[in-house]
Amino acid sequence: MKLIFMGTPAFAVPTLERIVEKGHQVIAVFTQPDRPKGRGQKDAMPPVKEAALRLGLPVFQPERVKRPEVVEQIREMAPEAIIVVGYGQIIPKSILDIPPHGIINVHASLLPKYRGAAPIQWAIANGESHTGVTTMMINEGLDTGDMLLKWETEIRPEENAVELGTRLAEAGADLLVKTLDELSAITPQPQDSTHASHAPILKKEDGKIDWQRPAREILNRIRGFEPWPGGYGFLRGQRFQIWKAVKGAPSLAPGALRVIGKKLYAGCGAGESIELLEIQTEGKKRMPAAAFLNGFQIAQDEGLQ
């Protein structure tokens, strides 16, 4: 099939690679412009651009895909379908109407649950036991189009958003290829909006831990918000990032810290606690909690804010 691919993050790369492997004709790849990244703030290519160049595909990076000249460019390309995976821009109706087979999206949730920009992160943070990927037809709403195919999986007990995202990216690629193969036989299914939930884009403050929450809720948010914004509190006025933790045994007040042997615990709601396994203090590298304790003395009754 003659396709245009629109995507930006690493999550989209397996889908692009798979449709090329399967022999589909990808006539153009649209992705976000290069953006400053890292301490040096040098322009960096999006992962999809890197993949497209490696595959020898033409790349376009418009600031706004809805601009008339971009719409006309896409119309002249005459794609049979457009594939969208995490592109990062709203597709206007002027483009929705171009491909005869529509615009097909790979979305990392079991729609209609977790519509929005961060479905993987919020599924883990909210303690879901299962998730998956859905292929759907894009319409003018936010992830509200008719569903095509689904794939479901269990969220593993200690799996974080990075690990789950890697699995869903591969599954989404397979599901998209299957969707294209069976497109003529698939009956699109409308979403039941009464069962919809929203997964908004993450903000820095989402990672601030509320120590009044139960231990399991805190652990879910730490896993769900890796690598950003992560789960963090403040110790002596400085940011204290918690990268890995497990359920603890001691009963502690919310936010209270306690050292037992070479282990560090933090109190949660309902007298529960978590054991901190890997942490990062402001201006320092990630380290095991035991290494942190070697050079840091926790005062009596000291706690995290």
Side-chain angles (χ1 to χ4, degrees), residues 133-196:
V133 286
T134 305
T135 51
M136 57 167 280
M137 303 301 299
I138 287 184
N139 61 14
E140 292 184 84
L142 177 63
D143 300 327
T144 57
D146 289 350
M147 301 175 293
L148 300 172
L149 296 178
K150 288 186 177 183
W151 177 86
E152 184 173 348
T153 186
E154 181 182 5
I155 298 176
R156 296 164 184 164
E158 301 305 323
E159 195 168 30
N160 63 39
V162 175
E163 295 162 343
L164 178 58
T166 298
R167 289 205 296 122
L168 295 187
E170 294 294 334
D174 290 338
L175 194 68
L176 189 277
V177 168
K178 179 178 172 65
T179 299
L180 291 176
D181 287 345
E182 302 176 4
L183 193 57
S184 61
I186 297 172
T187 301
Q189 299 294 318
Q191 296 186 40
D192 182 353
S193 292
T194 62
H195 293 137

Side-chain angles (χ1 to χ4, degrees), residues 47-271:
V48 162
K49 180 180 179 179
E50 293 180 348
L53 294 176
R54 172 167 43 83
L55 295 167
L57 302 173
V59 176
F60 301 90
Q61 297 176 275
E63 282 286 350
R64 293 288 181 269
V65 74
K66 66 181 180 181
R67 288 177 177 167
E69 64 273 18
V70 180
V71 175
E72 186 57 32
Q73 179 187 31
I74 292 172
R75 182 176 288 110
E76 290 176 357
M77 291 178 178
E80 295 177 82
I82 297 176
I83 309 303
V84 176
V85 187
Y87 179 44
Q89 294 189 37
I90 299 297
I91 310 299
K93 189 176 187 306
S94 55
I95 293 178
L96 294 178
D97 294 337
I98 292 174
H101 292 294
I103 300 184
I104 303 170
N105 175 237
V106 177
H107 185 75
S109 81
L110 298 173
L111 290 169
K113 292 197 76 173
Y114 296 107
R115 295 171 175 171
I120 296 171
Q121 293 89 337
W122 285 110
I124 296 176
N126 290 339
E128 299 287 353
S129 61
H130 289 76
T131 189
V133 286
T134 305
T135 51
M136 57 167 280
M137 303 301 299
I138 287 184
N139 61 14
E140 292 184 84
L142 177 63
D143 300 327
T144 57
D146 289 350
M147 301 175 293
L148 300 172
L149 296 178
K150 288 186 177 183
W151 177 86
E152 184 173 348
T153 186
E154 181 182 5
I155 298 176
R156 296 164 184 164
E158 301 305 323
E159 195 168 30
N160 63 39
V162 175
E163 295 162 343
L164 178 58
T166 298
R167 289 205 296 122
L168 295 187
E170 294 294 334
D174 290 338
L175 194 68
L176 189 277
V177 168
K178 179 178 172 65
T179 299
L180 291 176
D181 287 345
E182 302 176 4
L183 193 57
S184 61
I186 297 172
T187 301
Q189 299 294 318
Q191 296 186 40
D192 182 353
S193 292
T194 62
H195 293 137
S197 58
H198 188 47
I201 191 167
L202 292 172
K203 305 182 297 295
K204 183 177 180 180
E205 51 266 33
D206 289 323
K208 175 69 168 63
I209 295 173
D210 176 1
W211 296 103
Q212 299 289 340
R213 290 177 180 266
R216 178 46 55 189
E217 288 187 19
I218 291 173
L219 292 172
N220 287 342
R221 292 174 78 90
I222 291 170
R223 292 189 299 123
F225 297 156
E226 187 170 340
W228 190 91
Y232 64 89
F234 289 91
L235 179 63
R236 300 180 187 176
Q238 293 193 318
R239 185 183 175 102
F240 187 90
Q241 191 92 20
I242 300 168
W243 289 106
K244 290 184 180 180
V246 294
K247 187 80 161 41
S251 178
L252 299 172
L257 291 173
R258 180 176 298 175
V259 179
I260 301 177
K262 293 188 176 181
K263 295 183 177 182
L264 178 61
Y265 298 89
C268 310

